[in-house]
Amino acid sequence: LRRLNSAVQYVPYRGALRPRSALRLVRQYDIVADCSDNVPTRYLVSDACVLAGKPLVSGSALRLEGQLAVYNYRGGPCYRCLFPRPPPPDTVTNCADGGVLGAVTGIIGCLQALEVLKIAAGMGSSLSGYMLMFDALEGRFRNIKLRPRKADCAVCGDSPSVTCLQDYEAFCGSCATDKCRALQLLPGADRVSVQQYKALLDARVPHVLLDVRPPAEAEICRLPHALHIPLRSLQDRDEQSLQRLQKRICEEKLRTDDQTPLPVYVVCKLGNDSQKAVKILQELPAEEFGSVVAKDIKGGLMAWATKIDSTFPQY
C-alpha cells in the first residue's frame, strides 16, 4: 500500500476487534469499512459506528454473490434496523464453510472502496438506504430499497436500549471468527469419529455411507463407496433422492440378518451439514426405510484427510 501511495498513513491493529476496544478505535476515524465474515463482528462494528456517529460501508460475499450497503449515514438505517435479531447460528454459512469465488470479493471490495472515497470527498453515497446485490453467475447488479431507520431500533432509535457495546458472541450465539465452525447439534451417541468409522469399514460391517455435500464439492473428491445425496434434497424431501437412499438401504440389509438396525453414516466436509442430515433421517418413516440408525461422522471428510488418508484432497 505504501508503494502505491506513500502519502497515506497506514496503521495496522494486530488482533481481533473486541467490544472493549472497538468504540475507542472507531472514534478515531471518519468512515468505517466492514469486511468481516461473521455475524457477531457485523453487529459489533455497526453498534460502534452508531454510538460514535460514523458512517459504515459494509460489504459481504459468499459463493457467487455479493452485497454492499452503507449504514448510519445521513439519517439512514443501521444494521440493526434491518436485522434486529441475529439468525440461528446453524443457519449461517460463512466463506470457510460455503466457499467464495475470489473475483466476487474483488468486485465487492472495489465498490466498497469507491463508496468510502465518495463519502470522504463529500460526494455522498448512492447506497445509503439501498443494498446493492451482485450475482456473479448471471452477471447482474440490482439495487434494493431498504426500510428507513426504525424509530424503535435498539441502538439508533429514538429511545435506544443499547448505549454501550455488549458481548456479541453471546448475543449471536456464535463465535466472532471466519474460521471453520464445529457445530454441536447431536448428542455424542449419534456421532462417530473418523477412526471409529475406518475401523468398521475395515471390518466390513454392513452400512450405508451418505455424502450430503453440494454436487460441486462431491465432484472435487469423494469416498468411492459413498452414496451422494445433497442436504438440500433431503431437506426438500426429494422423492427421487429418497428412493435412491431406500434402494441402497435395502441392498445393504441383504448382507445382514435383518434383525438389527442398519447403520447409516452421514458425512460432509466439516461435520456440520451431516448433523442436520442425521436429524432428517431420524424422522423418516420406518415402514418405508426399515429399521435404521443414523449417525454423523465428526469432522467430516477434512478430518478423514487429516487423520486417516493424507492423500485425500483438502479444499
Side-chain angles (χ1 to χ4, degrees), residues 37 61-63 89-99 181 273 276:
D37 187 24
L62 181 68
R63 299 191 178 103
D90 60 327
T91 65
V92 178
T93 301
N94 61 21
C95 293
D97 291 332
R181 304 163 301 149
D273 284 351
K276 300 174 186 177

Side-chain angles (χ1 to χ4, degrees), residues 69-71 73 76-77 125-131 144-148:
V70 176
Y71 298 114
Y73 182 63
S125 172
S126 56
L127 291 178
S128 179
Y130 289 86
M131 178 175 288
I144 297 177
K145 185 173 177 59
L146 301 177
R147 293 189 299 267

Side-chain angles (χ1 to χ4, degrees), residues 48 55 63 68 71 80 89 113 126 128 151 158 182 223 236 249 254 256 263 266 299:
R63 299 191 178 103
L68 180 63
Y71 298 114
R80 275 193 194 248
S126 56
S128 179
D158 298 337
L223 295 176
D236 294 342
I249 290 175
L254 294 177
T256 69
V266 188

Side-chain angles (χ1 to χ4, degrees), residues 263-283:
V264 176
Y265 295 97
V266 188
V267 71
C268 64
K269 179 183 178 182
L270 300 169
N272 293 333
D273 284 351
S274 57
Q275 295 183 73
K276 300 174 186 177
V278 166
K279 289 189 171 185
I280 296 173
L281 296 180
Q282 290 172 342
E283 298 174 355

Side-chain angles (χ1 to χ4, degrees), residues 82-121:
L82 273 65
F83 309 103
R85 292 174 296 277
D90 60 327
T91 65
V92 178
T93 301
N94 61 21
C95 293
D97 291 332
V100 64
L101 190 63
V104 176
T105 60
I107 291 169
I108 295 299
C110 286
L111 291 170
Q112 191 173 7
L114 177 60
E115 291 304 306
V116 170
L117 291 171
K118 286 162 59 180
I119 295 172

Side-chain angles (χ1 to χ4, degrees), residues 13 20-28:
Y13 296 92
R20 63 177 177 271
S21 61
L23 194 56
R24 174 177 54 83
L25 292 175
V26 166
R27 281 176 172 154
Q28 300 177 45

Side-chain angles (χ1 to χ4, degrees), residues 18 24 54 60 62 87 108 130-131 170 194 285 293 309 311:
R18 301 295 183 191
R24 174 177 54 83
K54 309 293 183 179
S60 63
L62 181 68
I108 295 299
Y130 289 86
M131 178 175 288
V194 288
V293 175
D309 182 3
T311 66

Side-chain angles (χ1 to χ4, degrees), residues 89-232:
D90 60 327
T91 65
V92 178
T93 301
N94 61 21
C95 293
D97 291 332
V100 64
L101 190 63
V104 176
T105 60
I107 291 169
I108 295 299
C110 286
L111 291 170
Q112 191 173 7
L114 177 60
E115 291 304 306
V116 170
L117 291 171
K118 286 162 59 180
I119 295 172
M123 300 168 63
S125 172
S126 56
L127 291 178
S128 179
Y130 289 86
M131 178 175 288
L132 182 144
M133 312 282 289
F134 172 56
D135 185 333
L137 189 61
E138 298 293 332
R140 293 178 180 174
F141 289 91
R142 61 192 179 107
N143 279 12
I144 297 177
K145 185 173 177 59
L146 301 177
R147 293 189 299 267
R149 183 185 71 87
K150 295 178 62 178
D152 60 348
C153 176
V155 65
C156 76
D158 298 337
S159 301
S161 58
V162 177
T163 56
C164 62
L165 300 180
Q166 54 188 263
D167 185 340
Y168 292 88
E169 292 186 326
F171 174 64
C172 298
S174 59
C175 296
T177 175
D178 60 356
K179 305 303 180 185
C180 297
R181 304 163 301 149
L183 300 179
Q184 183 68 43
L185 306 178
L186 297 173
D190 291 342
R191 312 191 72 191
V192 299
S193 66
V194 288
Q195 294 92 335
Q196 289 173 313
Y197 178 71
K198 180 63 164 57
L200 69 89
L201 190 62
D202 292 341
R204 298 183 179 276
V205 175
H207 72 281
V208 172
L209 176 63
L210 180 63
D211 186 338
V212 297
R213 293 175 299 156
E217 293 187 33
E219 291 177 5
I220 297 173
C221 57
R222 60 189 296 179
L223 295 176
H225 60 287
L227 171 66
H228 176 243
I229 298 177
L231 174 63
R232 175 61 63 186

